[in-house]
Each structure stands twice: as C-alpha cells, then as structure tokens.
Amino acid sequence: MPSAPAHVVNVPVNQIREITQAAWATPDSIVLSIGEPAFPVARHVLEAAMAALDRDDTDYTPNAGIAPVRAAFAEHFSRRSGVEDDPSRVFVVAGAQQGLHLALSTLIGAGDEVLLPDPGYPTFTMTVGLLGGVPVPYPLVPHHGFQPRIEDLRRLVSARTRVLMLNSPSNPLGSVFGSDLTRDLVRFAHENDLWIISDECYEAFTYDVPHISPARFDAGGPEAVPEATEARVITSLTLSKTYGLTGLRIGALVTPPGMEPLLNNVMEATVSCVSAPSQYAGLAALTGPQDYVHTALEHYRANRDAATAVLDALGIGYLDARGAFYLWADLSYATGGDVRAWTRAFLADRGVALAPGTAFGAMGEGWVRIALCGRTDELIEGLSRLPAPQRT
C-alpha cells in the first residue's frame, strides 16, 4: 500500500477519544472525559429538522448557507458580542471543527506557523499539522491562571507566523479572558500582522463574568484598538454545545470583509454546504425559545459547584472554572509523570474516565479535564473515587 505523507502520519492521536472509547467499552463506567450535553434537544428544534425532511428539503444550499440562517447567526453574534455584523460575512459550517479547517485552509500554507494555546483543544494542533502547517504552542501556566502572556507570544512569533489561535471560554481549562487581556491580544496580532481565529464555542456559558469577543477590539468593533486598520479576527461559533446539537454539525464562521470569495471556493472544495435539515434546526434553535440554554447554564454551574465541593473535601487542587463546562484538576501527586497512562489505569481500576491533561498539550502533564455536563450523581460518584493527596 502506498505510504501516507508525513504531515498526515504525524497527526497526533486524540487522547480524549482514546480514553472515551475505552470507557464506552467498559461496562458500567462513569464517563467524565467528553463534553456531550446530557439534556434532550428542544422539541421545536427537532420539529424544524423533521419538517425539512418531510418537505424533502434535501437539496444543495449555497456554499455559505441559507440566507435566514446566516442572518440569525449574524444577529446572535451582534447581540452577544456587541459587534454589528453583516450576514454576508457569515459562513454556515458543519460544526466548529469544519469551521476551523475551513478558516485555516484559507489562511495558511505549508510551513506557515500557528500560535496555539497549550493546554488547548487537541484538534487545533491536529488541523494545523494536517494542512502542512507548523503548530507553535504558547504556554499557559498555573501561576498565571492559565492565561496567555504577551511576553510569551512575542518570544514565539516569527516571520513564518500567520495565525494566533484564541479560545475563551477555554476548553479544557474553563478560564475566561478579561477585557484588558483580550484587547492586548488583538493589539499584539495587529502589531505582528497576524490573523486571529477566535474559538468561541462556549460563549453562552460563563459564570459571573462576561464573555468578551476579540472582535470588539478589531477594526469595525465598538472598541477597536488604534492598530486595527483592517479586520483580522475570524470568529468560530457552534450550536453543538449551546443547544446540545453535537451530532447535527452546525456552526458558523464570522469573517472580516473581503474573504467571501476565498471561503466560498474552499467550502466548495471540502463539504460544498451543510445539510439543509441541520440548517433549519439551527435556525429554530437561534430564533426560538431559549429555555434549553438557561437550563443548561444552571445545570453546569450546579455541577461545577458540586464537583469543586468533592475536590475540596479530598484536598485536590483545581483551576476555578469561570466558563465552559469543564473543571481542570491537578492530579500530579498521583500520576507519576504520565497522566495519560494514569487515566487508563484509573478507568480500569475504578471505572471512571477522565481526559488526560496531555490530550491538550505538554503543559497539561499531571492535570485532568473533568466534564461537568452530565448527570450530577454520576459526577459526584466518579470524583469521589479519586485518590486524595497524602497529608503531611
């Protein structure tokens, strides 16, 4: 069989899937390793998709999506971010992952560098490598609250750097960028002639702090930095987490002016368009009752509080989660320098699946990501099985 090219062979294994698939094959396991919302999808969303199928609305749509869906995403983004946007600059994509691939396919070539958070979502690195680019991790460290530092970015940027990847609220960390940091990151990107891809998949879920979109400080935003002479921020949105539509694959890219022809061509060459029933389901989710979002937010907040109470009782350290639905916990006292192996052993011995921190980069060694989106009783039971640090 002919060999695959090196940039494909070298794409790393997704350790989240690795441990989760092992858990699915383990009877009676408690799965806290994957971010799958536990609530049933709202009925009006399901009925919108079924109505599209009933009327045989299964043809191609425009590459960028159906006009009402693009308008709904634009209105949603404007309302949540404070940035007025034109529906013509919204591209409906098959979930945030396809949106990431679409954006990077348009921005980088072979050998181009992308600054990625470490710890950060694993498909950031996987997608850059798959496109022949070079992932350059920027460190997020405990003593700085796992927030980006401009001095680290300055040290890593080079003549080949094309893109700065940002993610707030963060998966896996649950951290949220404040206004000052977000402004500084946008200024840094403009000073260094970089694009920003802002992954805002969890923008609906923050706890007692606001979500701040980098687009606010980009050209055309209400608080544009002086350096922003032209728009550089591409915002990635998804309905997977916000409305529990993980399997319908529906999201959007909000793009700067002038990118429409390029994105149309790249979209045509990858998936052509998103399925019409999924788009109509997304339209119903965005424009219909928002009870699901409010219920989910309060459930995730309650689960965060229940999980931290268990960890506090055991004496286990963690990062205070201010957004998304994950808790980042320090198990370095137990993992022996190999958290990936430890999570596999913990699943085998105790029947609980946690995502190893190294799934998200080398800086995650010794840490685990705990998904807070499932049943509260399973979450409490699973965490109660963790080994407590030895007290001195």
Side-chain angles (χ1 to χ4, degrees), residues 21 75 78 89 110 120 142 146 159 163 174 259 281 288 290 294 306 343 351:
Q21 287 171 351
E75 195 279 330
S78 297
R89 288 163 35 206
F146 289 97
V163 178
M259 294 191 70
Q290 300 297 298
H294 302 314
T343 56

Side-chain angles (χ1 to χ4, degrees), residues 169 174-178 203 205-212 301 321-323:
S175 58
V176 176
F177 298 170
E203 42 94 22
F205 303 124
T206 61
Y207 311 107
D208 307 316
V209 294
H211 165 65
I212 307 293
R301 183 198 299 269
R322 309 304 299 273

Side-chain angles (χ1 to χ4, degrees), residues 4-376:
H7 74 276
V8 175
V9 173
N10 294 332
V11 171
V13 171
N14 188 329
Q15 295 177 36
I16 305 170
R17 284 285 176 177
E18 179 183 67
I19 191 69
T20 303
Q21 287 171 351
W24 288 337
T26 302
D28 301 320
S29 62
I30 296 175
V31 183
L32 304 178
S33 55
I34 196 168
E36 182 69 63
F39 299 104
V41 173
R43 187 67 196 173
H44 69 280
V45 176
L46 297 175
E47 288 175 351
M50 290 186 285
L53 291 169
D54 284 342
R55 64 177 180 264
D56 193 21
D57 203 337
T58 55
D59 297 333
Y60 288 120
T61 77
N63 295 129
I66 299 166
V69 184
R70 299 174 75 188
F73 267 114
E75 195 279 330
H76 170 87
F77 181 67
S78 297
R79 184 176 66 253
R80 291 196 63 88
S81 69
V83 179
E84 292 298 324
D85 215 336
D86 191 304
S88 67
R89 288 163 35 206
V90 173
F91 279 72
V92 181
V93 293
Q97 179 53 42
Q98 191 258 317
L100 174 66
H101 189 277
L102 176 63
L104 286 170
S105 296
T106 311
L107 299 180
I108 68 170
D112 286 339
E113 296 175 354
V114 180
L115 296 172
L116 305 172
D118 178 5
Y121 193 62
T123 63
F124 295 166
T125 298
M126 296 169 72
T127 306
V128 171
L130 192 60
L131 292 170
V134 179
V136 178
Y138 57 87
L140 308 178
V141 296
H143 65 268
H144 201 259
F146 289 97
Q147 300 271 332
R149 297 179 297 187
I150 299 298
E151 59 266 32
D152 291 326
L153 296 171
R154 287 200 183 102
R155 177 173 51 85
L156 294 168
V157 74
S158 79
R160 296 304 305 266
T161 309
R162 293 276 290 160
V163 178
L164 170 62
M165 182 75 64
L166 301 177
N167 177 211
S168 176
S170 167
N171 175 8
L173 302 169
S175 58
V176 176
F177 298 170
S179 182
D180 290 346
L181 173 59
T182 306
R183 182 186 298 107
D184 289 345
L185 290 165
V186 174
R187 181 178 291 114
F188 169 84
H190 279 276
E191 288 173 345
N192 289 275
D193 197 25
L194 305 180
W195 295 94
I196 288 177
I197 298 177
S198 178
D199 177 351
E200 301 179 26
C201 292
Y202 296 91
E203 42 94 22
F205 303 124
T206 61
Y207 311 107
D208 307 316
V209 294
H211 165 65
I212 307 293
S213 176
R216 288 190 63 85
F217 306 104
D218 199 22
E223 300 177 57
V225 298
E227 296 82 358
T229 56
E230 57 183 357
R232 289 300 188 97
V233 176
I234 299 175
T235 305
S236 175
L237 305 172
T238 181
L239 307 187
S240 292
K241 310 298 185 180
T242 310
Y243 298 97
L245 305 183
T246 53
L248 287 186
R249 311 313 302 140
I250 179 77
L253 288 181
V254 183
T255 66
M259 294 191 70
E260 298 90 339
L262 288 173
L263 286 167
N264 263 316
N265 283 345
V266 178
M267 190 75 171
E268 175 64 24
T270 50
V271 297
S272 294
C273 61
V274 177
S275 76
S278 288
Q279 292 192 57
Y280 283 108
L283 179 62
L286 287 165
T287 60
Q290 300 297 298
D291 303 41
Y292 179 100
V293 183
H294 302 314
T295 299
L297 176 63
E298 291 313 309
H299 177 71
Y300 302 151
R301 183 198 299 269
N303 271 5
R304 179 200 62 172
D305 294 344
T308 56
V310 175
L311 297 185
D312 285 338
L314 291 170
I316 297 172
Y318 56 87
L319 178 68
D320 184 28
R322 309 304 299 273
F325 47 60
Y326 303 105
L327 191 59
W328 186 245
D330 183 2
L331 273 291
S332 57
Y333 61 88
T335 58
D338 189 348
V339 70
R340 183 182 185 186
W342 182 88
T343 56
R344 292 198 296 264
F346 187 62
L347 172 62
D349 296 341
R350 304 291 297 178
V352 181
L354 303 168
T358 50
F360 309 97
M363 298 299 295
E365 182 57 68
W367 295 73
V368 296
R369 188 196 70 174
I370 302 160
L372 303 172
C373 46
R375 288 170 42 187
T376 307

